[in-house]
Amino acid sequence: QSALTQPPSVSGSPGQSVTISCTGTSSDVGNYNRVSWYQQPPGTAPKLIIYEVSARPSGVPARFSGSKSGNTASLTISGLQAEDETDYFCSSYTTSSTLVFGGGTKLTVL
Amino acid sequence: QVQLVESGGGVVQPGGSLRLSCAASGFTFNLYAMHWVRQAPGKGLEWVAVTLFDGSNNYYEDSVKGRFTISRDNSKSTLYLQMDSLRAEDTAVYYCATDMMQGVIKGALDYWGQGTLVTVSS
């Protein structure tokens, strides 16, 4: 089970939009719409912010959106705010009935 | 409100064993698949294992297969992770987490515990 591929870091200025990619294979991201995204501030447990590629749990701002094309999923954060600066992880269900996470992306708000 | 409280972490020598527990409350435990996810110091998240709502099926990440066993006691609303033949690379914070969908593995983990630290060192 190889980890999904995410860029180690992305950055953007307040008010701008950033997109974080998450590339898998036809055995995970490309095979299911069970891609999730998590936000993890330092020293805290992860928080689910996107599930089923593009759905948002209650309480997650609409600034967070998700999409998928082929084996690559994406998280877009619009209207960047200082509080968005933290780590983001993607995950996908796999054909082995397991989960696999991405390596994580550190978002810096300039 | 949903609460997940892990316990059982600590320092163990290579080759040793530990059993982690995750006490759940605030939801109908026996309806949801439950996961263990770990995070080595300064590293990313790594999925470890999942057990279905009734414990009938369990799945594992390759590196822990044959060494770790996930189980649950629905009468006690408690999830377990028995870890044997521990290695230095198993050192991590271990989180338990609920799957979002009743009855199946959706892979969206909507509630997480605070984590318990396992250190494998001589």
Side-chain angles (χ1 to χ4, degrees):
Chain A
Q1 297 159 220
S2 298
L4 306 177
T5 300
Q6 296 182 233
S9 63
V10 298
S11 63
S13 300
Q16 288 187 333
S17 294
V18 294
T19 296
I20 301 171
S21 61
C22 171
T23 301
T25 69
S26 57
S27 296
D28 38 65
V29 175
N31 202 299
Y32 299 98
N33 285 330
R34 298 189 195 177
V35 175
S36 302
W37 289 90
Y38 301 86
Q39 182 187 61
Q40 187 183 28
T44 71
K47 173 188 175 185
L48 179 68
I49 57 173
I50 294 287
Y51 66 97
E52 290 183 331
V53 175
S54 59
R56 278 178 290 106
S58 172
V60 174
R63 305 186 294 105
F64 294 88
S65 62
S67 62
K68 190 187 87 166
S69 177
N71 295 339
T72 298
S74 299
L75 171 71
T76 298
I77 308 172
S78 306
L80 265 181
Q81 299 180 1
E83 68 206 46
D84 299 332
E85 182 167 295
T86 189
D87 295 329
Y88 294 84
F89 296 89
C90 62
S91 75
S92 176
Y93 184 70
T94 81
T95 53
S96 301
S97 301
T98 62
L99 296 189
V100 60
F101 280 94
T105 298
K106 180 176 180 57
L107 169 63
T108 300
V109 180
L110 301 170
Chain B
Q1 71 282 18
V2 173
Q3 263 202 312
L4 299 171
V5 180
E6 300 96 337
S7 61
V11 180
V12 61
Q13 292 189 338
S17 298
L18 271 181
R19 188 174 87 151
L20 305 183
S21 300
C22 170
S25 60
F27 67 105
T28 308
F29 182 75
N30 61 13
L31 293 181
Y32 296 89
M34 293 293 297
H35 300 255
W36 287 101
V37 176
R38 67 185 179 183
Q39 187 168 35
K43 302 296 184 183
L45 300 173
E46 182 179 38
W47 179 82
V48 174
V50 63
T51 181
L52 288 189
F53 68 101
D54 58 357
S56 60
N57 279 292
N58 305 321
Y59 301 95
Y60 300 90
E61 194 270 331
D62 285 345
S63 71
V64 308
K65 217 175 282 185
R67 301 188 299 123
F68 290 11
T69 303
I70 188 173
S71 63
R72 64 193 297 159
D73 185 337
N74 284 345
S75 69
K76 297 181 179 179
S77 295
T78 301
L79 175 72
Y80 302 100
L81 185 68
Q82 177 67 41
M83 304 186 295
D84 299 319
S85 302
L86 282 161
R87 306 167 180 166
E89 54 264 37
D90 296 318
T91 294
V93 173
Y94 284 73
Y95 296 99
C96 62
T98 62
D99 203 287
M100 192 176 201
M101 180 64 69
Q102 288 185 18
V104 297
I105 302 171
K106 180 171 283 295
L109 309 185
D110 56 347
Y111 292 101
W112 296 65
Q114 83 290 349
T116 186
L117 177 62
V118 172
T119 302
V120 184
S121 174
S122 54

